[in-house]
Amino acid sequence: MVNAKNESLGSVHDLIMDPKTGKIAYLSIARGGVFGIGQSFVPVPWDDFKTTQNVGLLVLDTTKAVMDAAPTVTYHQFSPPGQFDQESQKVDAYWKTNLTNKAGG
């Protein structure tokens, strides 16, 4: 995954599904670490991504600094049981104010 300047922002680690709709809500982006040790996992709303013309890369219009400051989740869990909506609100609010251009609009 890269930004509009073709700088690497991390790699897709997992899909996060909305338990109410069953649709993809977020991608968990793995960042940093060595051989999987010390990685952080940043949830980014699925709708905020663009694809390159040949659909080979996902593009997120942001910077490394914004990714560094983004909320993180654990390796296996987006939110504690029953708290998906609360975690979603926190993550969505962060990205709403920190994306350079919303991909959907």
Side-chain angles (χ1 to χ4, degrees), residues 14-91:
D14 207 352
L15 302 173
I16 300 169
M17 309 299 284
D18 183 318
K20 292 180 182 174
T21 67
K23 295 182 179 180
I24 298 171
Y26 304 93
L27 294 182
S28 177
I29 306 303
R31 306 194 70 241
V34 177
F35 300 116
I37 298 170
Q39 285 183 320
S40 63
F41 301 95
V42 176
V44 180
W46 170 247
D47 291 337
D48 291 341
F49 287 94
K50 300 175 188 176
T51 58
T52 56
Q53 189 170 2
N54 63 2
V55 193
L57 289 174
L58 289 173
V59 178
L60 185 65
D61 203 359
T62 193
T63 65
K64 288 182 178 185
V66 169
M67 289 292 288
D68 289 343
T72 60
V73 295
T74 65
Y75 179 79
H76 290 294
Q77 189 171 344
F78 175 74
S79 64
Q83 295 184 14
F84 184 88
D85 289 342
Q86 294 91 327
E87 189 68 22
S88 290
Q89 289 173 1
K90 179 176 80 171
V91 170

